[in-house]
Amino acid sequence: MKKAYTLTLPALGAALIAVLAQVTLPIGPVPFTLQNLAIGLIATLFKPRDAIFSIALYLLLGAIGLPVFAGGAGGVHILIGPSAGYLWFDLLYAGITGYLTSKNSSVLHIFIANLLGDSLVFLGGVLGLMFLAGMPFSQAFTVGVLPFVLPDLGKIICISLISQPIFRSLKRINYFA
């Protein structure tokens, strides 16, 4: 049974990310999406390895051309384009947050772990905008972080509030017990 979870959870996680990445609001070179909501939930609920595999599978599916990235985009060019830093640092978000959280984590603990993970994504995003789009730091920060701070805080609050009820509803499944 453990093998089944090892194979299916990353696939379900990648599917959730792909679906929520399609909820987009284009506001510049980096669109607003619900992708980070999915990543935060996966990072909080899954074991770190499975959370990282979910993100890696999502990136692989996008790299081979499936339309899983924001706005139905796909292809390797997305992984080396201006928003690539966000995507690659999602792996760190999943790993760090997954490592720091568990079914016994408090709402505050989940919030802080996701805030740390999301901050790493912002760091990756700014680095990507600087090195791949040629933006100076101030512009990369203004375009790639400031518009997303409040929406991401809202997503992190949502993740923090719904994670414990989800854990309780899944407690009969050995993986989440």
Side-chain angles (χ1 to χ4, degrees):
M1 190 62 137
K2 184 179 178 184
K3 183 97 168 155
Y5 287 120
T6 301
L7 297 174
T8 57
L9 284 178
L12 291 172
L16 179 64
I17 299 166
V19 168
L20 290 184
Q22 303 317 307
V23 180
T24 64
L25 178 64
I27 57 172
V30 181
F32 167 82
T33 74
L34 293 182
Q35 175 179 324
N36 275 12
L37 177 68
I39 291 168
L41 276 173
I42 290 162
T44 302
L45 298 173
F46 289 8
K47 292 176 175 52
R49 189 185 85 189
D50 295 330
I52 292 169
F53 283 169
S54 295
I55 309 306
L57 179 58
Y58 169 72
L59 295 176
L60 177 65
L61 293 172
I64 63 172
L66 295 179
V68 297
F69 297 138
V76 174
H77 67 283
I78 303 294
L79 296 176
I80 57 173
S83 63
Y86 297 95
L87 293 169
W88 289 111
F89 274 63
D90 283 339
L91 292 162
L92 292 177
Y93 184 169
I96 296 291
T97 303
Y99 178 75
L100 294 174
T101 57
S102 73
K103 64 180 175 159
N104 300 318
S105 297
S106 68
V107 170
L108 180 61
H109 188 100
I110 292 169
F111 178 84
I112 292 169
N114 275 277
L115 186 61
L116 176 60
D118 199 45
S119 297
L120 290 171
V121 173
F122 281 138
L123 172 64
V126 167
L127 291 173
L129 290 171
M130 288 173 56
F131 294 110
L132 300 172
M135 292 183 186
F137 173 79
S138 60
Q139 183 183 9
F141 187 81
T142 301
V143 170
V145 175
L146 290 181
F148 303 102
V149 170
L150 289 177
D152 277 24
L153 282 174
K155 291 180 229 177
I156 292 170
I157 290 169
C158 180
I159 293 163
S160 302
L161 294 175
I162 66 173
S163 293
Q164 287 304 327
I166 292 172
F167 271 127
R168 282 193 296 274
S169 71
L170 296 172
K171 68 182 175 188
R172 288 189 206 112
I173 299 173
N174 286 340
Y175 181 89
F176 297 101

